[in-house]
């Protein structure tokens, strides 16, 4: 079991991250929250401070994580505030307009920078810090979309796939240093980011459900975690559909 007492959350204003932060505070954690929108971040931090005990510390800082030159100073500020760091959750990202990306390389690069490059920048810095510390948990919200390219969202899927593969290598590297690297792969989650999607099907989950799974995965130091759990089986079937079709055609 991992100690989750001093935690940094990047993208703390997202629905999943906010629910995860509430559950972590309820378990006694102190948090340093980072978000792009200062007014939303202030509201999240204030809510968490109300929920925290007098022994817990909660604060935050607004930052544009696309500016990777500030990542080192953000980590320094968080570590100074918390008095050390036990775990980090990286939860920021956007769901791009696929058609807009198809029409514009500039838009595609922006989305990849947001969903992949900025994440990898933070991971590079965090890996070195936790490796020296020889303990800790690094958790990142990727997506089932990164498991296989789909016509409807392959730019988003490519970015998430890049992060997932990077985390696989990082997990192997840091295992000898007693550092857990957790890849969170949510399926369909009812959040503001998915507001324009049809949510009438049975596969949609609530943010608080996914948050509960994230806290459990971080505590146990699991590797790849699909949330809700049934997405593991869905993606396993999807990955093998072409193989199954080919075998049947060959009969």
């Amino acid at each position: 079991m991992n100690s989750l007492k001093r935690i940094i959350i990047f993208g703390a204003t997202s629905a999943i991250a906010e629910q995860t932060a509430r559950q972590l505070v309820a378990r006694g954690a102190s948090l340093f929250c980072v978000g792009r929108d200062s007014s939303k971040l202030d509201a999240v931090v204030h809510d968490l401070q109300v929920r925290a005990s007098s022994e817990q510390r909660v604060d935050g800082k607004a930052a544009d994580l696309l500016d990777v030159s500030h990542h080192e100073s953000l980590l320094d500020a968080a570590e100074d505030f918390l008095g050390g760091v036990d775990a980090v959750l990286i939860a920021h990202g956007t769901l791009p307009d696929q058609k807009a990306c198809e029409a514009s390389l500039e838009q595609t690069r922006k989305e990849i920078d947001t969903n992949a490059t900025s994440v990898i920048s933070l991971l590079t810095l965090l890996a070195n810090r936790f490796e020296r510390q020889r303990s800790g948990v690094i958790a990142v919200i990727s997506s089932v979309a990164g498991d296989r390219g789909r016509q409807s969202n392959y730019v988003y899927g490519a970015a998430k796939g890049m992060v997932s593969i990077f985390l696989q290598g990082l997990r192997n590297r840091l295992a000898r240093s007693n550092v857990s690297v957790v890849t969170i792969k949510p399926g369909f989650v009812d959040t503001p980011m998915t507001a324009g999607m049809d949510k009438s099907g049975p596969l949609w989950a609530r943010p608080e459900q996914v948050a509960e799974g994230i806290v459990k995965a971080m505590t146990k130091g699991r590797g790849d975690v699909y949330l809700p759990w049934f997405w593991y089986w869905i993606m396993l079937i999807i990955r093998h559909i072409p193989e199954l079709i080919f075998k049947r055609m060959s009969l």
Side-chain angles (χ1 to χ4, degrees):
M1 291 288 184
N2 292 300
S3 172
L4 303 179
K5 293 300 183 184
R6 301 170 297 179
I7 305 170
I8 310 172
I9 300 181
F10 292 98
T13 58
S14 74
I16 294 174
E18 183 177 1
Q19 290 298 325
T20 304
R22 289 181 178 182
Q23 294 189 27
L24 289 169
V25 164
R27 294 164 61 97
S30 293
L31 304 180
F32 188 88
C33 302
V34 180
R36 183 175 57 181
D37 187 314
S38 59
S39 60
K40 289 182 180 179
L41 182 64
D42 287 345
V44 169
V45 169
H46 177 71
D47 174 76
L48 295 172
Q49 288 172 337
V50 170
R51 296 169 184 270
S53 70
S54 57
E55 289 77 26
Q56 293 169 269
R57 305 193 72 196
V58 178
D59 202 356
K61 184 176 180 63
D64 181 358
L65 294 174
L66 278 174
D67 187 352
V68 299
S69 66
H70 289 165
H71 286 180
E72 190 88 67
S73 61
L74 277 173
L75 293 177
D76 287 340
E79 189 167 354
D80 288 345
F81 174 77
L82 294 171
V85 178
D86 302 313
V88 175
L89 172 64
I90 300 177
H92 72 280
T94 58
L95 185 62
D97 182 328
Q98 174 64 33
K99 291 299 182 182
C101 290
E102 291 172 15
S104 168
L105 174 59
E106 181 179 354
Q107 185 65 30
T108 297
R109 289 182 62 179
K110 179 182 178 182
E111 297 299 339
I112 290 176
D113 283 345
T114 300
N115 291 299
T117 309
S118 66
V119 175
I120 289 171
S121 169
L122 288 168
L123 288 173
T124 299
L125 297 172
L126 287 165
N128 294 334
R129 288 176 181 236
F130 279 133
E131 193 170 41
R132 290 191 297 268
Q133 183 173 297
R134 301 195 67 78
S135 67
V137 180
I138 300 172
V140 182
I141 298 181
S142 184
S143 172
V144 297
D147 281 16
R148 185 176 177 185
R150 296 171 62 244
Q151 177 179 320
S152 61
N153 67 349
Y154 62 80
V155 171
Y156 178 73
K160 290 298 188 179
M162 186 189 306
V163 169
S164 293
I165 293 295
F166 191 92
L167 289 167
Q168 286 179 12
L170 204 61
R171 183 177 304 119
N172 292 335
R173 169 190 160 191
L174 296 179
R176 69 188 67 182
S177 299
N178 195 37
V179 178
S180 299
V181 177
V182 183
T183 306
I184 309 296
K185 296 183 177 182
F188 301 141
V189 186
D190 187 0
T191 68
M193 192 169 80
T194 58
M197 301 175 68
D198 178 10
K199 301 178 182 179
S200 58
L203 301 180
W204 287 86
R206 299 188 308 276
E208 53 269 31
Q209 290 177 290
V210 176
E212 183 177 355
I214 290 173
V215 173
K216 287 181 180 179
M218 291 177 69
T219 302
K220 295 182 178 181
R222 291 175 175 169
D224 288 335
V225 181
Y226 289 83
L227 296 173
W229 61 268
F230 54 75
W231 275 98
Y232 169 81
W233 298 105
I234 291 174
M235 296 311 298
L236 186 66
I237 293 169
I238 288 174
R239 283 196 296 270
H240 287 86
I241 282 176
E243 179 184 345
L244 294 172
I245 292 174
F246 179 77
K247 284 184 177 179
R248 184 158 185 85
M249 290 175 64
S250 301
L251 294 177

